[in-house]
Amino acid sequence: IFWPFLNQMMSQFLGKERFHKSQHFNYNNGVPLLVGSEKPGIGGEPLVGQKIKPKHSVYPKGQGSSMPSWVAFDKKTLCFEAYFQENVTDAQNETYRIRKCKIYFYLEDDTIQVVEPEFKNCGIPQGTLICRHRIPLPPPNNDQFYNVYHFNLNQQMVLYSRTFTLTNCDPFTRNFLTRLGVILNDPAPVPEDPYSSLREQLDKNMNPLRPYERCDTLKQFLDNDRKVLRFCCLWDDTESVFGDPRELVLYYFLADDTIEIHEVFYPNSGRDASPKFLRRGKLPKRPPAQMKQPGEITERTVLNVFASKNQGERYMLDNLQTGAVHEEFYKDHDLVIGGEVNVWGRRVIITDCDDFTKDYYRSNYGIEDFTPVQYKAPPDPIPQKPPRLVPPYNGFGSEEDSLSSCQGLLLRPPRKDFNKFMEKDSCGMESNVLNFRAKMVTSDAVDREREFIISFYLCDDSISVLEPPQRNSGVLGGKFLERGRVKKPGQELFKKELSEYFTAQDLYVGAILCISGKNFQLVAADEYTFNYMEKHAEEFPKANMGSILSKLRSVPEEKQSEIRKFVALSDPTSTGFIAYESFRNLLMDLDCGLSEHEVLVLCRRFSERTQPDVDAGLMLAVAQDFLRKKHFEEIPDMARAFTHRDRHK
C-alpha cells in the first residue's frame, strides 16, 4: 500500500518547479485581514473544490492576433436593444411596465453597460441602470463572466436578478457576430406598454387653452451673426419732379432677417447726404395703406384683460388668434439679381451683389448665374483737349528754357532729372564717365594726326572733348569743347519740337560723331568704359553678347565652311587660340553687320588672360624706398627676426 501511494505522489510532483504558497493574509490600517480567499494553493494549483475566475477574455493568450485585446478591440462595442418587465404594485391603473433599454458590450475587456433612454416627466430614475463592469453569470455559475458568445437575439439574459430580453442589434454587431460564426435569431417584437400608450393618447387629446407660442431666434442669431448680404440697387425716380435715377445699397442681415438701405451720394450731385435711406427693420412685401399703431402687431393676441383688486391683472390669450395681423416680410430667397423689391411703395431693382453674397446663394440655393443688370448708359467719349500750340524756338536761351516760358504765367527753370543725377554721379571708384580716344575725320594731314579724348558723363548726358598736347605737332592742346550737351547734326534750328542730343548708346568704338561741325571717329576706349558697357549690356546693344552671337549665327552656310578652314589654317597645332588681328580681319570680312566695338567685346569675352610674373627685385626696391622715406632704422632687428622665422633659408 505504501509504494503505490508514494509513486502517485512522485508522479504528481514530477517536473514541477514552483512550490510557493499564496499569501492569504495582509495588514490593512494595522488590522490583519484575509485578502486571498480566492488565491490558489501550493505552486498556483487550485485547492479542493476551488474555482478560479479567468483573468483573460474569451480569447485566451496564444490564439488570434498577437496584439492585446485592449488594442485590437479598442473603441469597438456591440449594441443590443432590449427590454425588461417591471411590476407596479402601488398603482391602480397598471400592474406592470415595459422599460426599453440598450445593452453595450465592450470587446476590449468584456465589460457590460445597461442604459435606459431618458423621457421627460417619466417619474422614475432613468439613464445608466448598470455601470460598465464585468457581470458574472447567474448562480450556480457565478464564478464566470458574460462573454461575447452569451449574446443572441430573441433570448433572455439575467443581469443581477433582472431578466432582459434582447430584441435587436445594430449592423456592426450583426456583422461581427456573424463573422464569429454565431447564428443570430430573428429580431423579437417589443410588447406594448399600457402606461406609455395611455400617455400618448392623453398627449394627443390635450388642447391647452393657453398655448405657449415660442419662436426660437437664438440659433439663427448665433449661426448668422455678423453675416450680411450686400446688394446694389436702383430706384428710378425720373417720373417725379426734378427726379433722377438713385443708386442704393441694400443690406440684408441674416441674423434677424432685417433690411437696411443706404443711398450712394457722388461728389457734386447736389443732394445732402442723409445717414440712411431706410432704417434697419423687417420690410413687408405688401405695405399697408396706413401705418400700424404701436402695439397693434404683436407675437401673441390678448383676448381680454381682467383687473382684480386681490389677484392683480390677468391676461387671457386668444387661442384662435382672431385679431392677429399676419404680414409677409422679405426673406433671403426673395432677393435675386434682376428682381424687384417694394420699399414702401418705391420700386427698387436689384442690379448686382458682392462676392460673399454670391458664395452664400451658390452654396445654399445652387444659383450660378450672377450677371449684373446694366442700367447705366455707356459713358460719352471724353472730349479731347485741343492741342496746345507751341511757338517755334526764337534763338534766345536754350530750347528747354524757352519752352517752359510757354507752359505757364509763372516762369520756372526747366526741371532736370534729379534721380538720374544722384544715381549716375561719381561716387568713390565709380566715376560713371565713359572715355573714348578719337581722331578727326578730315582730308587735312595735320588734323588727321591729332588725338582727342571724348568723355561722356552719364549723370546729365553731357560731353566734353579734350586734346592732349603733343610735342612738335604745331597744335596747342587743351579743351576743344566745354562740357555740355551736344545736339545731333542735321536738325532744324528754329522748330517747335525739342532737339535730339547724343546719348550714351550713340558712343562706341568705330562710331563717327559730328561735334561743332567736325567729324570725330572713336578708335578706342579705356578699360572702365568696356567694363561698364559689358556690365550694363541691356542698355548698350553694342556690348550685348546675345545680339552679337545672333549676328554671327545669321552667316550663310558657305561662309561658315570658309571660317572653319581659316581657323584650321590659323591654328595648325590645334591649341584653340589664334591671333587677334587674324580673328578681327576674319570678322570684318564677313559682312554680317559687326562694328569695331562688337568685335572688341567678342574678343575680350573669349581671350586668354595671363597674369604677369612677379618681379621680386621690383618689390624689394619699392619696400626699401618706402622704409627709407619713413626713416626706418631697425634693420638689424628685422634681419634677426627674418632669420628666426626662416631657419632653413
Side-chain angles (χ1 to χ4, degrees):
I1 298 175
F2 175 73
W3 287 109
F5 177 75
L6 184 59
N7 292 335
Q8 184 179 0
M9 291 293 293
M10 292 297 293
S11 62
Q12 181 180 359
F13 295 104
L14 186 62
K16 190 172 183 180
E17 298 179 355
R18 302 174 61 188
F19 298 95
H20 67 279
K21 294 183 179 180
S22 302
Q23 183 179 358
H24 294 266
F25 297 93
N26 198 357
Y27 281 90
N28 189 6
N29 295 330
V31 179
L33 298 175
L34 179 63
V35 297
S37 59
E38 298 181 357
K39 292 189 176 182
I42 299 175
E45 294 185 357
L47 301 175
V48 179
Q50 183 183 21
K51 295 182 180 180
I52 300 178
K53 298 180 181 179
K55 297 182 180 180
H56 50 77
S57 176
V58 68
Y59 307 103
K61 294 182 180 179
Q63 297 182 8
S65 175
S66 59
M67 294 188 300
S69 60
W70 55 272
V71 175
F73 299 109
D74 184 29
K75 297 182 180 180
K76 294 183 179 180
T77 308
L78 306 183
C79 179
F80 297 91
E81 297 179 3
Y83 73 90
F84 67 95
Q85 181 176 339
E86 184 181 28
N87 296 328
V88 180
T89 57
D90 299 336
Q92 182 179 1
N93 298 330
E94 57 177 344
T95 58
Y96 67 93
R97 184 173 297 175
I98 302 298
R99 300 177 61 176
K100 302 177 183 179
C101 58
K102 289 189 176 183
I103 300 177
Y104 298 97
F105 181 81
Y106 297 88
L107 296 171
E108 55 180 313
D109 53 1
D110 291 353
T111 55
I112 298 176
Q113 183 183 11
V114 181
V115 179
E116 182 181 7
E118 296 183 358
F119 292 94
K120 189 177 181 180
N121 299 328
C122 64
I124 56 176
Q126 294 179 329
T128 303
L129 300 181
I130 300 177
C131 297
R132 176 181 173 180
H133 67 286
R134 298 180 67 188
I135 300 178
L137 295 174
N141 298 323
N142 53 354
D143 58 336
Q144 301 178 13
F145 299 94
Y146 279 101
N147 54 46
V148 68
Y149 291 110
H150 291 99
F151 289 85
N152 204 331
L153 301 182
N154 199 4
Q155 74 172 14
Q156 294 182 349
M157 298 179 61
V158 179
L159 306 179
Y160 294 122
S161 71
R162 275 185 178 176
T163 304
F164 293 85
T165 304
L166 305 181
T167 59
N168 205 347
C169 62
D170 58 355
F172 172 76
T173 304
R174 183 181 299 275
N175 295 336
F176 187 84
L177 294 178
T178 304
R179 293 175 62 182
L180 286 181
V182 178
I183 301 176
L184 291 177
N185 302 328
D186 296 334
V190 181
E192 184 179 358
D193 184 16
Y195 178 73
S196 299
S197 303
L198 179 62
R199 286 292 300 269
E200 292 178 1
Q201 185 177 2
L202 292 177
D203 292 340
K204 292 180 181 179
N205 295 333
M206 287 182 62
N207 188 12
L209 299 180
R210 301 180 62 180
Y212 181 68
E213 302 174 3
R214 182 180 180 183
C215 182
D216 187 11
T217 59
L218 179 61
K219 184 179 184 302
Q220 180 184 359
F221 173 78
L222 295 178
D223 294 342
N224 301 311
D225 187 25
R226 298 179 179 272
K227 295 182 180 179
V228 183
L229 306 181
R230 184 177 183 273
F231 299 90
C232 298
C233 306
L234 174 68
W235 172 36
D236 191 2
D237 192 29
T238 55
E239 297 180 358
S240 61
V241 181
F242 307 110
D244 55 354
R246 312 272 287 274
E247 295 185 14
L248 309 175
V249 179
L250 186 146
Y251 298 96
Y252 184 87
F253 297 86
L254 296 173
D256 51 0
D257 298 330
T258 55
I259 293 177
E260 182 176 293
I261 301 178
H262 293 243
E263 186 174 358
V264 180
F265 295 95
Y266 292 100
N268 302 326
S269 62
R271 297 184 179 274
D272 295 333
S274 58
K276 295 179 183 178
F277 185 84
L278 178 67
R279 68 176 184 177
R280 181 176 176 179
K282 290 188 175 182
L283 183 62
K285 290 185 177 181
R286 300 171 184 85
Q290 186 177 1
M291 296 294 295
K292 301 293 182 181
Q293 298 297 327
E296 189 173 356
I297 300 177
T298 58
E299 295 182 357
R300 299 183 182 183
T301 306
V302 180
L303 186 61
N304 201 347
V305 179
F306 296 92
S308 176
K309 296 181 179 180
N310 299 331
Q311 300 180 358
E313 297 180 352
R314 294 185 180 181
Y315 300 93
M316 182 180 295
L317 299 180
D318 186 8
N319 186 21
L320 301 178
Q321 297 183 355
T322 54
V325 179
H326 299 282
E327 277 191 288
E328 189 177 0
F329 300 96
Y330 279 102
K331 299 291 184 180
D332 55 350
H333 55 80
D334 299 323
L335 306 177
V336 294
I337 296 179
E340 298 182 1
V341 180
N342 187 0
V343 183
W344 299 102
R346 297 171 179 83
R347 180 172 170 267
V348 177
I349 302 175
I350 300 177
T351 59
D352 200 358
C353 59
D354 59 355
D355 295 336
F356 173 77
T357 307
K358 294 178 182 178
D359 295 339
Y360 176 81
Y361 280 94
R362 188 180 294 109
S363 59
N364 290 274
Y365 297 100
I367 300 177
E368 295 293 341
D369 186 14
F370 298 99
T371 305
V373 178
Q374 300 295 335
Y375 61 92
K376 291 184 179 180
D380 297 334
I382 301 176
Q384 297 182 356
K385 295 182 180 180
R388 181 179 295 179
L389 299 179
V390 180
Y393 176 59
N394 54 11
F396 294 95
S398 63
E399 296 182 1
E400 292 81 2
D401 193 9
S402 299
L403 181 61
S404 62
S405 64
C406 302
Q407 294 177 350
L409 296 178
L410 298 179
L411 300 181
R412 296 178 181 179
R415 182 177 298 179
K416 297 182 180 180
D417 193 349
F418 182 75
N419 295 331
K420 181 179 180 181
F421 176 79
M422 294 299 296
E423 182 181 356
K424 298 295 184 180
D425 193 17
S426 60
C427 179
M429 301 298 294
E430 293 290 334
S431 63
N432 291 318
V433 179
L434 306 182
N435 297 315
F436 296 89
R437 188 165 57 89
K439 285 193 174 185
M440 191 177 296
V441 181
T442 178
S443 58
D444 190 353
V446 177
D447 292 340
R448 196 184 302 118
E449 299 298 330
R450 298 168 63 181
E451 293 186 358
F452 300 88
I453 302 298
I454 299 179
S455 300
F456 186 89
Y457 299 86
L458 297 172
C459 59
D460 55 357
D461 295 342
S462 59
I463 297 177
S464 66
V465 181
L466 177 66
E467 183 179 4
Q470 297 182 11
R471 183 176 295 181
N472 300 326
S473 63
V475 180
L476 296 177
K479 288 185 179 180
F480 183 84
L481 178 67
E482 192 73 25
R483 177 179 174 181
R485 300 176 66 188
V486 179
K487 296 181 181 179
K488 293 183 178 180
Q491 302 185 67
E492 186 181 353
L493 179 61
F494 303 104
K495 59 184 183 302
K496 298 180 181 180
E497 297 81 9
L498 295 178
S499 300
E500 296 183 4
Y501 296 88
F502 281 109
T503 60
Q505 288 73 21
D506 298 327
L507 277 72
Y508 54 89
V509 178
I512 298 177
L513 305 180
C514 182
I515 301 176
S516 299
K518 302 291 183 178
N519 293 329
F520 294 89
Q521 184 177 12
L522 307 182
V523 295
D526 59 356
E527 186 68 19
Y528 177 81
T529 303
F530 279 113
N531 293 336
Y532 184 88
M533 297 179 71
E534 293 171 3
K535 184 178 180 181
H536 302 81
E538 67 278 357
E539 301 178 11
F540 299 93
K542 298 297 182 180
N544 194 335
M545 285 298 302
S547 62
I548 297 173
L549 295 178
S550 62
K551 291 181 180 180
L552 291 177
R553 294 190 186 97
S554 62
V555 176
E557 186 65 29
E558 298 81 9
K559 290 198 174 184
Q560 290 184 7
S561 59
E562 296 179 4
I563 293 173
R564 296 188 186 96
K565 294 179 181 179
F566 179 81
V567 171
L569 294 175
S570 301
D571 187 16
T573 58
S574 300
T575 58
F577 296 95
I578 62 176
Y580 166 73
E581 292 297 334
S582 302
F583 186 67
R584 176 187 174 280
N585 296 332
L586 173 64
L587 295 179
M588 297 303 293
D589 294 340
L590 291 178
D591 296 335
C592 57
L594 290 178
S595 62
E596 187 72 25
H597 192 96
E598 292 175 329
V599 173
L600 289 173
V601 171
L602 186 63
C603 294
R604 284 168 53 86
R605 179 67 178 272
F606 298 101
S607 63
E608 181 185 16
R609 304 191 180 186
T610 58
Q611 295 292 339
D613 297 335
V614 179
D615 191 355
L618 178 61
M619 293 179 59
L620 181 59
V622 172
Q624 290 177 355
D625 184 60
F626 179 79
L627 294 176
R628 190 180 302 108
K629 290 181 180 180
K630 295 295 182 179
H631 304 288
F632 188 76
E633 298 178 355
E634 299 178 359
I635 298 295
D637 296 338
M638 185 172 62
R640 283 194 298 268
F642 286 164
T643 305
H644 177 72
R645 294 289 183 181
D646 188 12
R647 298 180 181 179
H648 300 285
K649 298 185 180 180

